[in-house]
């Protein structure tokens, strides 16, 4: 996931406090006695399992805390609670929905130290990435709130039949199952929940078992915003709640029960749409399951994002942005720069600059799990065994427990790294002769999420952008870029549907045509 304004903030935590050791709901973020609850009907729900999920630090190997695990009957209860709440929430005034999102944004800012601490402990990210998550999530909340009234506007079509009037209304689709990832833990779950609630839908959140406490902090922020806690607008009784009980529910499942629970959630009659963000492999399973039950899916999947560097680009800047785009958050971002394509006229100079930029920009943070770093390492080792040329990182060096040193591979041809998402701090470098060859190579991928072009010629860049088979194309930017006011989504193997602002709201709305037959002359 991405940054705002194309850069990662490196300043200190809000109010000058550090993230480490901050408290969350009265306990520290690394309190091993704490257990993240299941949250149904706006209250903690008893765990059906005596075996909680253990959340472990990939850096220290120690248990951070635990989370209650759901079973199928409990998951069905969450769907029923959301279904009951939908009957009320779908009729809520636009001003109520807007106020809910704006209050939540303010609570995020007030609780920034807590949110930073949770992300850093659960996902092993660095402080800059965690802070960027807070700021980007706040931007999403406020922009989605601003777009609700426009997104809900209907139309009055002209009809050919005499004495007939037509109306097209936009209405909430119903209960939405949200399945977000861990790698941009705050941003992606927040955006999905805010878009669904803003459209008038209710939500069952299947939190990631890798960061359930961060996801629970999101749920609690929405719940506290609903009653005005911490906002100076405390509600009086149930009638004063902005959000009805049961409108936002949270579940998490252990790896062993995940498939069974997910299918039960998708199959539930109350669930009308699924919002999934994650890997293409899991996306295929979610898509196939949803197809069996005829449920629509909004998907944002993986990427193999190319960066095209033309000979007229600022080569030093391009090298810096490519290196940062490849190594940011240990490469665990679907928008990470994984393939760099440079025109031969600039290849020698750019290659030298790129190696220096990688060496000066070590990967930030660590892999979220040992399995994650092992996958990235296995992809590099496969390239090594197949004789691919390494410009950097040929030793496949491990740093801390779950950290890889950055690597660059020159023009790989037959190894897994050619079109497999590594989710590690590495990139491949290719040299081509022309713009056309660069476009052809960039499009030779199963993915189609994000691409970048580095050039000083706007017309040339726009022309190439039209030819690239990607949902987003950024010119002279880091690949890890998004804007709360801009459309976002993938094509080909990177998913379908659009996110952000009004585009995201529209994903959770249906259009209903109503006609009136009779004397309409007045």
């Amino acid at each position: 996931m991405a940054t705002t304004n194309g850069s990662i903030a490196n300043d200190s935590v809000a109010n000058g406090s550090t993230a480490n050791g901050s408290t969350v709901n009265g306990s520290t973020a690394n309190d091993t006695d704490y257990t993240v609850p299941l949250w149904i009907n706006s209250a903690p729900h008893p765990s059906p399992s005596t075996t909680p999920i253990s959340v472990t630090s990939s850096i220290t190997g120690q248990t951070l805390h635990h989370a209650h695990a759901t079973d199928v009957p409990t998951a069905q209860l969450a769907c029923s609670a959301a279904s009951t709440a939908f009957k009320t929430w779908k009729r809520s005034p636009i001003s109520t929905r807007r106020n809910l999102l704006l209050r939540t944004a303010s609570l995020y800012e007030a609780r920034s130290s807590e949110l930073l601490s949770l992300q850093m402990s659960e996902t092993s990210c660095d402080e800059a990435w965690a802070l960027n998550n807070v700021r980007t999530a706040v931007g999403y909340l406020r922009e989605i709130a601003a777009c609700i009234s426009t997104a809900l506007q209907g139309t009055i079509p002209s009809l050919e039949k005499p004495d007939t009037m037509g109306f097209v209304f936009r209405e909430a689709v119903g209960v939405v199952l949200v399945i977000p990832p861990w790698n941009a833990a705050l941003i992606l779950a927040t955006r999905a929940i805010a878009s669904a609630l803003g459209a008038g839908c209710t939500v069952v959140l299947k939190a990631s078992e890798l960061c359930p406490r961060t996801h629970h902090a999101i749920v609690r922020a929405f719940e506290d915003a609903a009653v005005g806690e911490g906002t100076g607008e405390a509600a009086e009784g149930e009638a004063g709640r902005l959000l009805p009980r049961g409108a936002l529910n949270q579940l998490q499942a252990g790896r062993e029960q995940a498939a069974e629970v997910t299918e039960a959630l998708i199959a539930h009659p109350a669930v009308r749409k699924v919002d999934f963000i994650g890997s293409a492999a899991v996306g295929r399973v979610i898509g196939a399951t949803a197809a069996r039950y005829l449920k629509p899916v909004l998907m944002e999947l993986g990427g193999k994002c190319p960066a095209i560097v033309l000979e007229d680009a600022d080569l030093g800047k391009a090298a810096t942005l490519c290196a940062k785009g490849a190594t940011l958050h240990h490469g665990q971002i679907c928008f990470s720069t994984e393939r760099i394509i440079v025109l031969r006229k600039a290849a020698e100079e750019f290659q030298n600059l790129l190696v220096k930029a990688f060496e000066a920009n070590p990967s930030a943070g660590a892999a979220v799990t040992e399995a994650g770093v092992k996958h990235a390492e296995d992809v590099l080792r496969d390239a090594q065994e197949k004789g691919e040329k390494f410009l950097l990182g040929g030793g496949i060096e491990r740093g801390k427990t779950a950290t890889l040193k950055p690597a660059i591979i020159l023009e790989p041809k037959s190894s897994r790294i050619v079109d497999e998402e590594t989710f590690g701090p590495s990139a491949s470098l290719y040299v081509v002769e022309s713009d056309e060859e660069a476009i052809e190579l960039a499009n030779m991928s199963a993915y189609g999420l994000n691409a970048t072009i580095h050039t000083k010629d706007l017309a040339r860049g726009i022309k190439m952008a039209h030819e690239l088979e990607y949902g987003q194309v950024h010119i002279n930017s880091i690949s890890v870029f998004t804007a709360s006011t801009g459309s976002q989504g993938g094509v080909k193997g990177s998913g379908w549907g659009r996110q952000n602002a009004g585009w995201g709201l529209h994903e959770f709305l249906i259009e209903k045509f109503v006609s009136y037959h009779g004397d309409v002359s007045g």
Side-chain angles (χ1 to χ4, degrees):
M1 197 33 222
T3 70
T4 51
N5 303 322
S7 62
I8 286 291
N10 288 311
D11 49 341
S12 60
V13 178
N15 303 321
S17 61
T18 61
N20 295 328
S22 62
T23 61
V24 185
N25 299 325
S27 61
T28 65
N30 296 336
D31 181 0
T32 56
D33 293 330
Y34 180 82
T35 302
V36 180
L38 303 172
W39 189 264
I40 300 175
N41 213 29
S42 298
H45 187 83
S47 173
S49 171
T50 57
T51 306
I53 300 165
S54 294
V55 182
T56 305
S57 168
S58 67
I59 295 176
T60 66
Q62 297 178 339
T63 298
L64 300 169
H65 41 258
H66 300 86
H68 286 311
T70 190
D71 61 2
V72 168
T74 305
Q76 292 170 333
L77 283 177
C79 294
S80 297
S83 180
T84 299
F86 177 65
K87 297 172 184 176
T88 302
W89 184 244
K90 69 179 181 180
R91 296 187 177 89
S92 61
I94 290 171
S95 58
T96 298
R97 303 178 197 179
R98 182 184 297 117
N99 288 343
L100 174 72
L101 301 193
L102 293 177
R103 284 185 184 181
T104 304
S106 295
L107 286 178
Y108 274 32
E109 291 176 324
R111 299 173 180 179
S112 61
S113 292
E114 299 174 3
L115 296 172
L116 289 172
S117 180
L118 288 175
Q119 293 175 85
M120 292 168 67
S121 63
E122 288 193 314
T123 69
S124 300
C125 68
D126 68 355
E127 186 175 297
W129 180 250
L131 181 59
N132 174 70
N133 263 251
V134 176
R135 290 178 170 173
T136 302
V138 167
Y140 276 136
L141 284 163
R142 290 184 171 144
E143 182 59 29
I144 292 166
C147 293
I148 294 173
S149 56
T150 302
L152 290 171
Q153 288 178 357
T155 57
I156 301 177
S158 298
L159 304 181
E160 294 183 0
K161 181 183 177 182
D163 296 324
T164 306
M165 181 174 289
F167 307 88
V168 177
F169 297 102
R170 284 179 172 161
E171 300 178 350
V173 67
V175 177
V176 176
L177 171 60
V178 171
I179 309 176
W182 52 266
N183 60 327
L186 200 68
I187 297 173
L188 300 178
T190 298
R191 182 182 65 182
I193 293 168
S195 298
L197 292 177
C201 299
T202 53
V203 173
V204 176
L205 170 68
K206 183 180 177 292
S208 170
E209 75 280 4
L210 299 179
C211 60
R213 199 168 182 184
T214 301
H215 284 165
H216 189 58
I218 294 170
V219 172
R220 290 303 300 267
F222 275 94
E223 290 282 1
D224 291 346
V227 298
E229 184 176 321
T231 66
E233 303 175 65
E236 294 184 6
E238 290 299 309
R241 288 179 60 95
L242 293 184
L243 189 67
R245 291 184 180 275
L248 176 56
N249 308 274
Q250 177 181 338
L251 307 168
Q252 49 271 338
R255 289 294 177 100
E256 297 78 10
Q257 292 78 35
E260 181 186 20
V261 167
T262 302
E263 178 159 3
L265 288 167
I266 294 172
H268 196 283
V271 172
R272 299 299 175 84
K273 189 157 189 175
V274 180
D275 183 347
F276 172 77
I277 301 177
S279 70
V282 178
R284 289 186 183 94
V285 176
I286 297 292
T289 304
R292 285 203 299 273
Y293 298 100
L294 293 179
K295 303 290 178 76
V297 186
L298 170 60
M299 281 195 178
E300 185 177 305
L301 306 177
K304 193 72 178 175
C305 305
I308 298 174
V309 182
L310 305 183
E311 78 282 353
D312 67 340
D314 181 330
L315 298 182
K317 180 180 178 182
T320 298
L321 292 175
C322 287
K324 184 179 288 187
T327 61
L328 186 66
H329 193 24
H330 203 259
Q332 301 169 119
I333 309 171
C334 55
F335 284 3
S336 291
T337 305
E338 293 227 11
R339 296 181 296 153
I340 303 167
I341 304 167
V342 60
L343 263 65
R344 187 169 301 279
K345 293 178 182 178
E348 183 176 354
E349 180 181 356
F350 178 77
Q351 178 175 309
N352 293 332
L353 291 168
L354 183 67
V355 170
K356 291 178 181 178
F358 263 74
E359 291 173 336
N361 193 65
S363 58
V368 70
T369 63
E370 177 63 25
V373 75
K374 186 178 185 305
H375 170 265
E377 187 177 35
D378 286 347
V379 173
L380 292 178
R381 197 168 303 285
D382 176 72
Q384 188 181 58
E385 292 172 354
K386 288 185 169 62
E388 309 285 17
K389 181 179 180 180
F390 281 69
L391 296 176
L392 183 70
I396 312 181
E397 299 174 76
R398 291 286 291 267
K400 290 181 292 186
T401 305
T403 306
L404 274 180
K405 299 289 182 68
I408 307 172
I409 300 176
L410 181 62
E411 299 188 322
K413 295 177 176 60
S414 59
S415 55
R416 290 168 56 186
I417 203 170
V418 170
D419 200 36
E420 181 175 334
E421 191 176 25
T422 64
F423 242 48
S426 60
S428 304
L429 176 65
Y430 299 86
V431 179
V432 296
E433 303 294 339
S434 65
D435 293 10
E436 292 74 20
E437 188 178 345
I439 292 168
E440 182 180 5
L441 179 58
N443 288 340
M444 288 176 60
S445 173
Y447 297 101
L449 189 57
N450 235 36
T452 60
I453 303 169
H454 296 273
T455 178
K456 295 176 182 177
D457 188 335
L458 175 61
R460 187 180 179 188
I462 293 293
K463 180 181 178 182
M464 294 182 74
H466 280 299
E467 299 300 320
L468 289 170
E469 297 169 351
Y470 290 83
Q472 293 77 229
V473 180
H474 307 301
I475 301 173
N476 298 326
S477 169
I478 187 174
S479 61
V480 188
F481 174 84
T482 189
S484 62
T485 55
S487 171
Q488 179 179 312
V491 298
K492 299 195 298 186
S494 293
W496 53 76
R498 305 300 292 181
Q499 301 271 16
N500 297 2
W503 291 279
L505 287 163
H506 288 154
E507 290 288 346
F508 301 108
L509 296 169
I510 58 172
E511 292 192 343
K512 180 181 290 181
F513 175 49
V514 177
S515 63
Y516 173 79
H517 303 258
D519 185 0
V520 295
S521 62

